[in-house]
Amino acid sequence: QSLAELEVLCNHLYEGTDLAQRMQAEKVLLELIDSPECLSQCQLLLEQGTTSYAQLLAATCLSKLVSRASPLPIEQRIDIRNYILNYVASQPKLAPFVIQALVQVIAKITKLGWFEALKDQLIFRDIIADVKKFLQGTVDHYIIGVMILSELTQEMNLVDYSRPSAKHRKIATSFRDTSLKDILMLACSLLKELLAKPLTLQEQRQQSLAMQLLKLVLNCLNFDFIGNSADESADDLCTVQIPTNWRTIFLEPETLDLFFDLYHSLPPMLSQLALSCLVQFASTRRSLFSNPERAKYLGNLIKGVKQILENPQGLSDPGNYHEFCRFLARLKTNYQLGELVMVKDYPEVIQLIANFTITSLQHWEFAPNSVHYLLTLWQRMVASVPFVKTAEPHLLDTYAPEITKAYITSRLECVPVVIRDGLDDPLDDAATVFQQLEQLCTVSRCEYEKTCTLLVQLFDQNAQNYQKLLHSSSRNPLEITVQEGRLAWLVYFVGTFVGGRLTYTSTDEHDAMDGELSCRVFQLISLMDAQLPQSSNEKVELAILWFLDQFRKTYVGDQLQHTSKVYTRMSEVLGITDDNHVLETFMTKIVTNLKYRGRCEPVISRTLQFLNDLSVGYPFYCIWHNILLENNKSKHFPFLGIRDNYSLSDLRCRTVFYTALTRLLMVDLGEDEDEFENFMLPLTVSFESVTQIFNSSFEQEEAKRMLIGLARDLRGIAFALNTKTSYTMLFDWMYPTYISVLQRAIELWYREPACTTPILKLMAEFMQNRSQRLNFDVSSPNGILLFREASKMICTYGNQILSLGTLSKDQVYPLKLKGISICYSALKSALCGNYVSFGVFKLYGDNHFDNVLQAFVKMLLSVSHSDLLQYRKLSQSYYPLLECLTQDHMSFITSLEPHILIYILTSISEGLTAVDTIVSSSCCASLDYIVTYLFKHLAKEGKKTGRCRGTSQDGQRLLHFMQQNPEVLQQV
């Protein structure tokens, strides 16, 4: 291609907004990489390209070229490396992103050729010598040299899952042992030189150099030294496994001083990198030092913390603030409280940290993600108090209550600001709130009396204000909403502190305080429910459900003595004397929510989850039968209705509801078929209505809604029926009449996943042989009948869904792949359930088993390999199903056409490297079964006896296929 054509390609790739043009450009790019002229075209772009994007395209092509599984000849790679080094040296003013891309090519070549030699010389290892040549030039050359080392360090740390992990580890270990320490020392010495010339730090190029040097140090300290690939999301559990031969660097106080000085000297964008390095220094493994050395090292870290907090101007930058919070959390992660209190400046520093934390909590809108680290520090400090053996005071009994108070008051104060200014409400981010509350829970138990006194005072004050507003003639809606927001926070706090009893040493006095707090929430429940159905506040309701769940875990059930002091105060105020009374209160609240809050999906969903948790754990069922089983009608619980103004997603709650309900039924059911029929009566009526609609005018929308609801209800019921007797009752109720209705629905509405998904999930649940519930009596054909129905449904759905043709990227999963994944899940349950003898089908000429296997193949061939792995639910149903097929049905696998076998074996090959262990372990098992099958047939063929000589046709087919396609197994 000409230069002009290549530059048009660049524009489409990097600047174009037309999706079709960009996809075409990507296709041309792949062709360019595979073409023999790729190198000359890249050279043309680098030397004569008129835009930075032309140079970027060349770098991208080179990067892909040198990363291919089949490497270029070593001489060619050396030429490419030398060419790029000379190119960037001669043009140091290139755009930063171009230099970055070219440097990445050098890093990839160096890593992949680390152990390769030319004329007995490890030719790719002299990278530091190459970089030192750059360090003799201008500041721009300095920057490029440091970028090369930084990119190389990062590349050495990256795991390429398409290559053997053992090879990566070998290269990374060699790089660590031969080069990494020298790189770190070089970077530190260059930073010292830079710091010695502070006047030039304001100059742009010097700042770029400082940034690259700090990134280089950070890459060195972030290196995966021992190959454990630490999970980056578990930030608070990280220990840096510094090699022992680096001790001298860490024992020199000048090393830490350098980075603290850099923090104070550099502008915020760079000083946060200095703090990031200090985070890693603070996380250095303890065993690197002797006890006196560790104490001295910790003293230097604390001295630096004190300096930062005494001059806090830099912490007004969010980046600095966040890294400093991480730094503080790492101190407690890596050092014991007993060691911290022995540090000379501990009393002054803990006071400074406490004041810093209180100020941070009060400014709740500033860097909210950083608060996690501050709470982690205090949580771990307080949790360590019982284990401190030194005589030095830890002072946490002074500061921990202040932290708790600051958190509580700041959250209450944020409510009016959030509502009046329309800001994001912190309560909407439930995951963050619960995480912080869990941390606060531990902190609050230090001097618990102070926390409870504060909370009682605030609760009474806000509850009284709320009652006044409700009875006020003006009834200001804004003020009521603000007060309800505060009450929601207070209920969350009470629930958190009550739940904290399980994780912290508790006393009778603490239980009595929990009783005081709990009384107030139960009184608030009565106050809120008295306003129904006119008004309701979702946030308060969700907070109340959180409290009830925490109270359930802590004070209800066998784990607690019934003499607990929590009930003393509650019996005086509310007449609640024990956990039976509490359960009645729970059930009243659940029924109230289900009756009056049917349109509020979050509240209904959480209420049903709470009901579900109760139905699993407690035998107090007599209360519930009367309340729930009698109310099992849509006129009592609106969310069970199918009115047009309800969205189809609202019906999802029904599954959880019926699971809980069926668990309650199971307590007394035994073999009472009349009781079961009575329980199923509302569903029987609904199914009869659907049948009538199918046979008459056929109001599609109404039938659809009813069927979706019924499928969800039945799935909930089927999930809870875990005994053979109860499951058989359900099967007899369903088969054959009602199952045929579901089959009809799949035929008619296969284009509508809102309808097909619940029905297919119901069938998948039916096929689950949980607790051996499908092991029917020997005289019963039910297992085979059930499989035939599943086979019909899967075949119907599979054939219909394939008639949709090609679907767009955004439609392919909801309209097709999701349904296929559920079909695969159902089929896997049937094949592994051990309740059907599949040989019977062939013996009696029944084609249901063959049909469903053919449907499996047709659906599989309509899915690309990339989609198989890209969509998690699909891969988690396909690969375990394939494992079942290779384990028990190899005759089917061997009967497949060669192109289908290649597809399956390729999918195994690609799945072996998947990060998901369900996928990779199923691939390993499938491969084991296939190779074992091959081996057995090869062994039989090698024997000369007449009985063994005639290998089965299945085995011969597979052997012949492998001989024709040897590369398939070789690639695996």
Side-chain angles (χ1 to χ4, degrees):
Q1 289 176 318
S2 69
L3 181 62
E5 288 173 323
L6 289 169
E7 295 206 320
V8 169
L9 178 65
C10 295
N11 291 335
H12 288 164
L13 269 176
Y14 301 118
E15 291 185 305
T17 53
D18 187 311
L19 185 61
Q21 280 186 341
R22 183 177 295 179
M23 290 176 72
Q24 179 60 29
E26 286 174 359
K27 187 179 172 187
V28 174
L29 174 63
L30 292 174
E31 291 170 1
L32 175 63
I33 292 165
D34 290 332
S35 73
E37 291 82 29
C38 180
L39 284 173
S40 60
Q41 299 268 279
C42 289
Q43 192 173 353
L44 179 68
L45 281 168
L46 286 171
E47 292 177 359
Q48 296 178 36
T50 56
T51 66
S52 296
Y53 289 131
Q55 296 152 347
L56 179 61
L57 178 64
T60 306
C61 289
L62 289 171
S63 180
K64 292 184 182 299
L65 193 63
V66 301
S67 305
R68 288 197 306 199
S70 50
L72 296 170
I74 187 169
E75 294 83 3
Q76 209 165 20
R77 279 176 286 147
I78 293 168
D79 289 343
I80 294 171
R81 188 193 70 160
N82 292 341
Y83 176 83
I84 294 174
L85 285 170
N86 291 327
Y87 182 78
V88 293
S90 64
Q91 301 197 52
K93 298 285 187 186
L94 288 168
F97 62 86
V98 174
I99 294 178
Q100 184 80 30
L102 289 167
V103 161
Q104 279 178 352
V105 179
I106 296 172
K108 286 181 188 294
I109 291 173
T110 306
K111 178 181 178 177
L112 297 173
W114 190 252
F115 286 112
E116 291 186 53
L118 186 68
K119 298 177 182 175
D120 298 328
Q121 185 183 354
L122 293 164
I123 196 71
F124 292 110
R125 293 201 188 183
D126 51 3
I127 192 73
I128 294 182
D130 292 328
V131 166
K132 283 185 176 174
K133 294 173 188 171
F134 281 89
L135 301 182
Q136 294 162 10
T138 63
V139 174
D140 290 317
H141 288 102
Y142 253 70
I143 292 170
I144 293 170
V146 175
M147 283 175 73
I148 291 171
L149 291 179
S150 185
E151 197 60 47
L152 176 62
T153 307
Q154 196 168 352
E155 182 65 36
M156 288 291 186
N157 210 25
L158 286 176
V159 181
D160 181 354
Y161 289 102
S162 66
R163 298 174 190 274
S165 57
K167 185 177 180 183
H168 159 76
R169 197 62 231 150
K170 190 177 176 185
I171 293 170
T173 304
S174 171
F175 176 72
R176 177 199 69 193
D177 294 341
T178 59
S179 306
L180 196 55
K181 182 183 176 185
D182 293 337
I183 291 173
L184 178 64
M185 290 172 70
L186 176 64
C188 288
S189 67
L190 291 173
L191 281 169
K192 282 177 188 171
E193 287 177 21
L194 201 62
L195 197 59
K197 300 180 283 189
L199 294 176
T200 60
L201 281 179
Q202 301 310 313
E203 202 266 317
Q204 187 66 41
R205 306 309 294 160
Q206 295 287 339
Q207 285 191 18
S208 295
L209 176 57
M211 181 164 70
Q212 294 302 334
L213 282 168
L214 285 167
K215 282 183 179 176
L216 173 56
V217 172
L218 195 55
N219 284 342
C220 290
L221 296 174
N222 279 330
F223 198 80
D224 186 7
F225 294 101
I226 58 171
N228 62 353
S229 299
D231 180 5
E232 289 176 11
S233 62
D235 189 58
D236 53 340
L237 299 173
C238 205
T239 300
V240 182
Q241 301 290 341
I242 298 294
T244 306
N245 64 344
W246 292 24
R247 260 170 54 85
T248 50
I249 305 173
F250 284 72
L251 289 176
E252 292 171 3
E254 295 80 17
T255 305
L256 283 180
D257 291 345
L258 169 65
F259 289 91
F260 281 116
D261 291 344
L262 284 165
Y263 164 76
H264 291 293
S265 306
L266 295 170
M269 190 177 73
L270 303 179
S271 55
Q272 74 183 62
L273 283 171
L275 278 175
S276 298
C277 294
L278 285 165
V279 170
Q280 295 303 95
F281 278 113
S283 311
T284 304
R285 65 182 172 97
R286 295 168 54 80
S287 52
L288 189 68
F289 309 106
S290 64
N291 285 347
E293 288 167 347
R294 192 183 310 116
K296 186 178 176 185
Y297 188 74
L298 177 59
N300 288 332
L301 287 169
I302 295 293
K303 184 180 76 175
V305 170
K306 187 181 175 190
Q307 287 171 353
I308 291 173
L309 288 173
E310 286 174 342
N311 303 282
Q313 300 84 356
L315 297 177
S316 59
D317 174 73
N320 279 343
Y321 172 77
H322 183 75
E323 289 303 318
F324 184 66
C325 292
R326 287 183 65 223
F327 179 45
L328 291 176
R330 289 286 178 95
L331 283 176
K332 181 58 196 78
T333 303
N334 219 23
Y335 294 94
Q336 297 166 2
L337 182 57
E339 293 172 320
L340 288 166
V341 299
M342 298 301 291
V343 174
K344 178 185 158 192
D345 295 328
Y346 175 77
E348 294 94 323
V349 171
I350 197 69
Q351 184 180 5
L352 287 167
I353 293 174
N355 293 338
F356 172 69
T357 305
I358 290 166
T359 306
S360 298
L361 292 172
Q362 287 167 345
H363 294 84
W364 53 271
E365 74 288 359
F366 179 79
N369 295 332
S370 310
V371 169
H372 161 77
Y373 298 106
L374 292 174
L375 291 175
T376 297
L377 169 70
W378 288 100
Q379 176 192 23
R380 294 191 170 182
M381 298 260 273
V382 171
S384 303
V385 167
F387 309 105
V388 176
K389 296 186 172 63
T390 57
E392 300 293 326
H394 52 68
L395 304 175
L396 294 180
D397 44 4
T398 304
Y399 297 117
E402 292 183 21
I403 304 301
T404 307
K405 180 181 179 182
Y407 188 91
I408 292 171
T409 54
S410 67
R411 275 14 185 204
L412 296 184
E413 286 162 8
C414 85
V415 174
V417 182
V418 165
I419 290 171
R420 286 179 188 136
D421 297 349
L423 303 176
D424 289 339
D425 189 344
L427 275 179
D428 291 338
D429 185 1
T432 301
V433 169
F434 290 150
Q435 185 185 51
Q436 291 182 1
L437 289 176
E438 186 183 340
Q439 294 170 313
L440 187 72
C441 165
T442 306
V443 182
S444 70
R445 286 275 164 174
C446 187
E447 298 293 308
Y448 192 49
E449 298 82 358
K450 292 181 184 176
T451 301
C452 288
T453 306
L454 171 70
L455 212 49
V456 166
Q457 177 193 336
L458 289 169
F459 210 111
D460 288 347
Q461 179 187 330
N462 282 279
Q464 285 166 13
N465 291 343
Y466 184 55
Q467 282 179 299
K468 283 178 189 172
L469 287 168
L470 290 179
H471 297 125
S472 161
S473 55
S474 59
R475 279 182 71 93
N476 184 334
L478 185 69
E479 286 299 323
I480 290 175
T481 307
V482 168
Q483 213 55 51
E484 286 174 341
R486 285 177 170 152
L487 285 169
W489 272 110
L490 287 165
V491 173
Y492 274 121
F493 290 136
V494 174
T496 300
F497 299 154
V498 166
R501 182 187 191 278
L502 298 173
T503 56
Y504 205 85
T505 310
S506 196
T507 62
D508 283 350
E509 290 74 21
H510 287 183
D511 287 0
M513 290 175 210
D514 285 350
E516 282 284 354
L517 293 171
S518 300
C519 278
R520 282 155 175 79
V521 181
F522 282 115
Q523 286 172 321
L524 179 65
I525 291 173
S526 302
L527 178 62
M528 298 300 294
D529 288 351
Q531 299 174 60
L532 291 169
Q534 284 79 20
S535 66
S536 173
N537 184 288
E538 180 185 313
K539 289 188 170 69
V540 178
E541 291 304 327
L542 291 172
I544 286 170
L545 288 165
W546 159 261
F547 161 77
L548 294 178
D549 198 41
Q550 296 302 305
F551 192 92
R552 170 187 72 83
K553 291 174 183 172
T554 309
Y555 288 113
V556 177
D558 300 334
Q559 74 271 26
L560 186 81
Q561 294 194 348
H562 293 284
T563 55
S564 169
K565 294 282 185 187
V566 78
Y567 290 111
T568 307
R569 181 65 179 150
M570 287 172 65
S571 63
E572 292 170 10
V573 179
L574 306 170
I576 295 176
T577 55
D578 58 19
D579 48 7
N580 273 321
H581 280 151
V582 171
L583 280 167
E584 288 184 37
T585 310
F586 285 176
M587 292 313 303
T588 306
K589 179 62 183 165
I590 287 169
V591 171
T592 303
N593 282 2
L594 297 182
K595 277 187 176 180
Y596 296 111
R597 296 186 173 90
R599 297 299 291 120
C600 184
E601 199 276 333
V603 173
I604 286 292
S605 180
R606 189 69 199 87
T607 302
L608 289 172
Q609 190 56 55
F610 180 53
L611 171 63
N612 200 32
D613 294 342
L614 283 170
S615 71
V616 173
Y618 302 102
F620 309 108
Y621 51 86
C622 52
I623 310 163
W624 310 1
H625 269 268
N626 302 334
I627 299 174
L628 279 177
L629 296 181
E630 296 304 315
N631 280 291
N632 173 18
K633 298 178 183 70
S634 61
K635 68 179 180 183
H636 294 123
F637 296 151
F639 76 94
L640 293 177
I642 55 160
R643 285 175 293 179
D644 291 344
N645 59 341
Y646 277 38
S647 75
L648 294 177
S649 62
D650 288 344
L651 304 177
R652 289 177 185 167
C653 298
R654 298 168 62 143
T655 304
V656 182
F657 176 71
Y658 271 95
T659 296
L661 217 57
T662 309
R663 284 202 185 108
L664 302 180
L665 175 77
M666 288 282 290
V667 174
D668 272 345
L669 181 64
E671 298 182 7
D672 190 341
E673 292 185 13
D674 292 338
E675 174 77 6
F676 184 78
E677 289 287 339
N678 186 42
F679 174 74
M680 298 297 285
L681 194 57
L683 281 79
T684 307
V685 171
S686 296
F687 255 122
E688 294 299 334
S689 300
V690 173
T691 308
Q692 284 176 10
I693 293 171
F694 271 11
N695 294 333
S696 59
S697 62
F698 198 58
E699 284 285 335
Q700 283 222 11
E701 277 308 309
E702 187 184 352
K704 210 179 293 177
R705 283 176 172 274
M706 289 181 79
L707 264 179
I708 292 168
L710 282 167
R712 293 191 187 284
D713 298 347
L714 283 168
R715 184 167 154 234
I717 292 169
F719 183 79
L721 296 177
N722 283 338
T723 65
K724 185 168 82 170
T725 305
S726 60
Y727 182 88
T728 304
M729 288 184 198
L730 179 63
F731 181 82
D732 291 342
W733 180 86
M734 281 283 294
Y735 185 86
T737 312
Y738 298 148
I739 279 191
S740 63
V741 175
L742 299 176
Q743 299 279 16
R744 179 93 188 276
I746 291 286
E747 280 177 42
L748 292 167
W749 297 315
Y750 64 92
R751 289 172 175 272
E752 301 183 46
C755 188
T756 56
T757 297
I759 295 173
L760 291 171
K761 281 186 174 179
L762 169 62
M763 185 54 79
E765 178 56 45
F766 264 19
M767 308 306 288
Q768 288 266 9
N769 193 11
R770 200 181 300 109
S771 305
Q772 304 301 304
R773 65 184 185 174
L774 268 72
N775 287 7
F776 298 107
D777 296 335
V778 289
S779 59
S780 168
N782 286 355
I784 289 173
L785 294 174
L786 178 60
F787 180 80
R788 283 162 57 119
E789 292 301 327
S791 169
K792 279 185 213 167
M793 188 174 287
I794 292 170
C795 291
T796 302
Y797 180 78
N799 290 330
Q800 298 277 44
I801 211 71
L802 295 181
S803 68
L804 293 177
T806 307
L807 297 168
S808 64
K809 189 74 176 169
D810 59 328
Q811 287 186 313
V812 71
Y813 182 74
L815 284 183
K816 180 173 132 181
L817 300 182
K818 187 174 184 179
I820 289 176
S821 73
I822 301 168
C823 289
Y824 283 2
S825 182
L827 184 54
K828 185 255 176 190
S829 297
L831 294 179
C832 299
N834 291 326
Y835 55 89
V836 182
S837 174
F838 292 102
V840 167
F841 289 94
K842 190 173 182 180
L843 190 63
Y844 291 100
D846 187 322
N847 59 3
H848 282 89
F849 183 49
D850 286 340
N851 289 349
V852 80
L853 292 180
Q854 291 307 316
F856 154 74
V857 171
K858 284 180 191 172
M859 287 190 281
L860 180 62
L861 293 179
S862 74
V863 181
S864 67
H865 282 125
S866 58
D867 283 349
L868 268 184
L869 287 166
Q870 185 179 347
Y871 296 99
R872 187 163 169 264
K873 286 184 178 177
L874 179 59
S875 57
Q876 287 188 345
S877 58
Y878 164 68
Y879 284 102
L881 170 58
L882 186 60
E883 183 183 342
C884 283
L885 288 169
T886 51
Q887 182 178 9
D888 299 320
H889 304 281
M890 272 304 293
S891 58
F892 162 69
I893 298 288
T894 58
S895 69
L896 295 171
E897 294 291 321
H899 72 280
I900 303 173
L901 263 178
I902 287 174
Y903 182 99
I904 288 174
L905 288 167
T906 307
S907 74
I908 292 175
S909 175
E910 293 183 354
L912 285 168
T913 59
V915 178
D916 191 331
T917 51
I918 293 175
V919 172
S920 54
S921 59
S922 288
C923 286
C924 291
S926 301
L927 190 60
D928 183 32
Y929 293 130
I930 292 169
V931 174
T932 302
Y933 184 86
L934 264 177
F935 175 79
K936 283 181 178 176
H937 285 279
L938 276 169
K940 283 180 184 176
E941 205 170 61
K943 293 181 180 176
K944 300 299 182 191
T945 60
R947 187 171 60 86
C948 297
R949 195 177 296 121
T951 321
S952 74
Q953 286 186 345
D954 297 339
Q956 283 179 338
R957 267 199 305 270
L958 188 60
L959 285 171
H960 180 69
F961 168 80
M962 289 301 178
Q963 285 161 357
Q964 295 293 313
N965 303 276
E967 74 286 348
V968 176
L969 274 184
Q970 285 166 13
Q971 194 210 338
V972 173

